[in-house]
């Protein structure tokens, strides 16, 4: 707790002055002790000891108590030494000889002494905390003020007040030292003894002439000084003469450093108390000095920066003045250019003459003060001047007058720009050059207006205000403006003539425009009609395939974007036996049937459903927003029921029927074509089960579709690699059992060497269009075979798709000729479907084949329509009886197959057609065919398909 001070209190020891609470306690204890008794207490804490006593012989008793804390103490009746935490204390009472002390009083005094020590310690801690807070706040204030915008005098005054809260600072001084000039200046000074002397010396002085100043000596030494001023002066060899400053009992000074260089000092001193300042005071003052020097450095840098800014500002102002002059000149030139350009624009503007001159006035007024402004033009005779535009506060001259000898007439007559002040106008009047016309202006400026180098008038501005005069620069601007106005007047005159021609031409164009608008309207109607036709089927008025796919694309985009589970489906419908109606009753009847079908479909769908005709007898229905697939399947059932009603066309009662396939939207479809494809596949499955049915595309069909896709991919690779083999099955003359020809059959060689029969891939090849590529590979091998000598023919199978290509015959003949094949040994086999697709085109192809020497056989006869009209109309060489009829011929059969075969053979004889029976496998079948008169046969009985020796 520190060493006690030497303050003396009567009846108490010197130490008690520092501890009033303990002193009061000892007095109170002494009052209850016997007369002549003394009491003392001592304690040590954190290395510091103290003692306090009261009563007789208190000094010796206090010394005794202190010694008892440090060493073994002698026996004393009333002495107790003990430890409480980190504090050790001793309490002793001495009573006169023969006196006694009650035990209760002794115990009470000991316990209360410890309590009083605790309380005193708590008070000391509170005081220390308050002092610490006060120190922190003062240092914070000092740090804050040096960073503020306050003036230096205000900063120093505030620092003085804050330092005074932390230490004795009635005498406070701040000096600065300019090391470059060696000048020391007293920046702040408050002193009880030397105020007048120091105020008189506040002018800067060289440090070299202040050798007797202790503060200057401290700055030269460069370290803090602490102690009585005389002692410090003696230590550093400085005079103690009072003329250099009154001696102080306590003196503390610290240098102010900037980057390690002394730039000033702060000094505090006391004339009354010794040991007023401590090491803590020195550290506080060093902190103040550091922040004050920081503020001075900032102010010095700021002053230097401000001086540079002032100089730079002066230079910039000079440069700016030059620049402003250049800008002003440039702006004047730009303003003149804009004026001339704007006047030029006005020359072709569709405005009246009055408006034109008013616009000119407004434009020129931006260059020249022209409150009084007019334009005068000569009439066609040159005898009159007409004021076509006038804004004048004084002049009341009539707008049209005979030419006079006025100043304006002077400009028109002489054709020269004229600038006059009031004296100049008066001089011309006095000399008789002009006659007065109204009030004489203070400044007058007029320039002639020219058209084709002829003066046609004048443009004049005048001022009646002595404060407004015109200069040669204004005259120059006016001349430029007048040139533009003259040109503009000339152009306006030309524009007037042009406007008359334009008006006449406009009337002609208006008539042409009305005709053009009528033509455009008609074209728009045609475009609308074409757009409707592009989106609709012409025959039925239904949506076409394009519109259906657009709608499907929209539904699929919405399904992918909104994240919900949308519900839409496609119903694919195909008419059953529609070809028969077309062939038997004609296309007109077929069209009428299709229109009726369209009407029935529209009657059995919902308002928002889309019904489309895809082509031929195929229709599709897009239906959306349903909760249950049963809704769609019920719709399909209703549509099929609607077809049960008969239809009357050309006095014939027809019973149409259809097959429907349904495909529902699901994730995985890429486009609408895929959805249509699956609905089409379901429709064909329904058609295979019989007429008038519907099927839903399911996983089994999907698997089949995937199989077909894989098969298609494999077939494409096989075509690219030419992985096909041609085998030949012999055709024999039955009666002679001799080979007369062969049918070329294709085998697909799989990568593992297996040979795949045609019935595995022909159907898919027809659907995908790849069959043509396969056929041409076969034809190429057959051509090479026919290039060899021989007397037997080879027949090749031709897909109906070849008949649609347009150049099939030419390409086939070219291939055969390139190989050197004998065309007379080549035969082709076609099915009835090739003849039914387009009978006109089929006839053309067959005629070309006949003319080239190639014979045509109708294959699989009896399995299709077997219309006799085909046999009579088309140039066929023969027919081939389907193997299904031949296989039914057996000894234990019912004879129906034999009857059909006999009929077909008889018909071929009647039509003079060669007849070939397919699939002959038994002698019985061969015998019955001979009996029926069939001339030729092929089948396993005569040989299996195989290669031919070269």
């Amino acid at each position: 707790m520190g060493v006690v001070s030497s303050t003396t209190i009567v009846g108490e020891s010197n130490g008690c002055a520092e501890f009033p609470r303990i002193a009061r306690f000892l007095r109170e204890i002494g009052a209850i002790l016997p007369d002549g008794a003394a009491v003392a207490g001592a304690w040590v804490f954190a290395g510091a000891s103290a003692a306090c006593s009261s009563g007789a012989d208190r000094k010796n008793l206090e010394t005794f108590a202190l010694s008892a804390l440090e060493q073994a103490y002698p026996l004393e009746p009333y002495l107790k030494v003990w430890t409480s935490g980190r504090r050790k204390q001793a309490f002793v009472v001495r009573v006169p000889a023969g006196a006694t002390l009650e035990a209760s009083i002794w115990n009470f005094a000991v316990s209360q002494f410890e309590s009083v020590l605790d309380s005193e310690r708590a008070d000391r801690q509170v005081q220390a905390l308050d002092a610490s807070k006060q120190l922190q706040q003062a240092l914070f204030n000092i740090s804050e003020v040096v960073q503020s915008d306050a003036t230096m005098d205000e900063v120093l005054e505030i620092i003085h007040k804050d330092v005074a809260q932390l230490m004795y600072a009635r005498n406070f001084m701040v000096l600065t030292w300019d090391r470059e000039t060696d000048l020391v200046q007293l920046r702040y000074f408050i002193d009880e003894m030397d105020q007048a002397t120091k105020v008189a010396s506040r002018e800067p002085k060289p440090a070299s002439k202040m050798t007797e100043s202790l503060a200057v000596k401290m700055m030269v030494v460069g370290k803090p000084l602490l102690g009585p001023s005389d002692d410090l002066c003696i230590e550093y060899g400085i005079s103690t003469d009072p003329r250099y400053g009154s001696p102080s009992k306590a003196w503390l000074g610290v240098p102010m450093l900037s980057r390690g260089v002394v730039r000033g000092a702060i000094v505090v001193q006391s004339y009354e108390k010794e040991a007023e300042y401590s090491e803590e005071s020195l550290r506080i003052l060093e902190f103040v000095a550091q922040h004050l020097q920081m503020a001075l450095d900032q102010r010095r840098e700021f002053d230097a920066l401000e001086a540079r800014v002032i100089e730079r500002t002066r230079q910039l102002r000079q440069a700016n003045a030059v620049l402003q002059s250049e800008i002003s000149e440039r702006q004047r030139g730009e303003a003149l250019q804009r004026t001339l350009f704007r006047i030029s624009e006005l020359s072709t503007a569709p405005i009246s003459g009055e408006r034109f001159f008013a616009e000119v006035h407004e434009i020129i007024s931006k260059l020249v003060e022209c409150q009084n402004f007019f334009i005068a033009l000569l009439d066609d005779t040159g005898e009159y001047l007409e004021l076509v535009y006038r804004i004048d506060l004084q002049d009341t001259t009539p707008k049209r007058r005979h030419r006079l000898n006025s100043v304006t007439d002077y400009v028109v007559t002489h054709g020269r720009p004229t600038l006059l002040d009031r004296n100049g106008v008066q001089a011309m009047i006095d000399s008789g050059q002009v006659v007065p016309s109204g009030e004489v202006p203070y400044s007058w400026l007029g320039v002639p207006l020219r058209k084709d180098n002829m003066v046609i008038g004048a443009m004049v501005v005048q001022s009646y205000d002595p404060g407004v005069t015109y200069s040669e620069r204004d005259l120059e601007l006016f001349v430029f403006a007048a040139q533009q106005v003259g040109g503009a007047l000339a152009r306006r005159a030309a524009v007037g003539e042009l406007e008359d021609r334009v008006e006449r031409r406009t009337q002609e164009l208006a008539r042409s425009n009305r005709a053009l608008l009528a033509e455009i309207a008609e074209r728009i109607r045609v475009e609308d009609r074409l757009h409707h036709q592009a989106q609709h089927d012409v025959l039925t008025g239904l949506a076409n395939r394009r519109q259906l796919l657009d709608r499907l694309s929209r539904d699929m985009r919405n399904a992918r974007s909104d994240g919900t589970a949308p519900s839409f489906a496609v119903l694919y419908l195909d008419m059953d036996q529609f070809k028969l109606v077309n062939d038997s009753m004609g296309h007109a009847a077929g069209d009428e049937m299709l229109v009726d079908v369209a009407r029935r479909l529209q009657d059995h769908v919902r308002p928002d459903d889309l019904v489309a005709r895809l082509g031929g007898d195929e229709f599709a229905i897009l239906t959306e927003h349903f909760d249950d697939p049963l809704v769609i399947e019920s719709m399909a059932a209703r549509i099929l029921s609607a077809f049960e009603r008969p239809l009357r066309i050309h006095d014939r009662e027809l019973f149409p029927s259809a097959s429907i396939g349904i495909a529902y939207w699901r994730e995985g479809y890429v486009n609408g074509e895929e959805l249509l494809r699956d609905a089409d596949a379901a429709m064909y499955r329904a058609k295979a089960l019989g007429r008038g049915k519907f099927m839903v595309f399911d996983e089994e069909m999907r698997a089949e579709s995937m199989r077909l896709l894989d098969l298609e991919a494999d077939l494409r690779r096989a075509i690219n690699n030419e992985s096909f083999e041609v085998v030949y099955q012999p055709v024999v003359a039955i009666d002679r059992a001799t080979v007369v020809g062969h049918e070329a059959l294709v085998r697909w060689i799989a990568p593992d060497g297996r040979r795949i029969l045609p019935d595995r891939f022909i159907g898919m090849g027809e659907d995908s269009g790849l069959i043509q590529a396969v056929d041409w590979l076969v034809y190429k091998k057959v051509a090479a075979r026919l290039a060899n000598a021989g007397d037997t023919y080879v027949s090749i199978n031709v897909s109906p798709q070849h008949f649609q290509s347009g150049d099939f015959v030419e390409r086939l003949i070219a291939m055969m000729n390139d190989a050197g094949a004998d065309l007379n040994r080549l035969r082709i086999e076609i099915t009835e479907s090739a003849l039914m697709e387009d009978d006109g085109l089929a006839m053309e192809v067959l005629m070309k084949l006949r003319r080239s020497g190639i014979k045509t056989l109708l294959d699989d006869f009896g399995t299709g329509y077997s219309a006799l009209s085909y046999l009579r109309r088309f140039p066929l060489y023969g027919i081939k009886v389907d193997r299904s009829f031949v296989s039914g011929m057996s000894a234990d059969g019912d004879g129906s197959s034999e009857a059909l075969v006999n009929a077909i053979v008889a018909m071929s004889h009647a039509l003079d057609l060669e007849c070939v029976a397919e699939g002959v496998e038994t002698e019985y079948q061969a015998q019955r065919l001979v009996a029926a008169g069939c001339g030729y046969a092929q089948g396993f009985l005569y040989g299996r398909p195989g290669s031919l020796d070269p």
Side-chain angles (χ1 to χ4, degrees), residues 729 881-884 886-887 917-922 925 937-941:
Q729 186 172 33
V881 181
D882 189 71
R883 67 178 63 248
S884 61
V886 176
S887 63
E918 295 181 295
V920 180
E921 297 182 358
T922 65
Q925 293 169 347
Q938 69 182 88
F940 290 168
L941 180 63

Side-chain angles (χ1 to χ4, degrees), residues 828-878:
I828 69 169
E829 298 183 11
I830 61 174
T831 60
E832 289 184 62
S833 58
L835 305 178
M836 294 174 63
E837 288 292 332
D838 188 334
D839 53 359
L841 182 59
M843 178 63 76
E844 181 181 348
V845 172
L846 293 177
M847 290 302 295
K848 288 180 180 179
L849 291 171
R850 171 177 278 191
R851 286 194 294 270
S852 64
I854 301 173
K855 300 177 177 61
T856 305
L857 303 177
L858 186 60
D859 198 11
D860 300 333
F861 186 77
T863 58
Y865 293 106
S866 302
L868 298 179
S869 59
Y870 293 152
L871 300 179
R872 288 187 289 107
R873 287 175 54 204
F874 293 104
L876 300 173
Y877 181 77

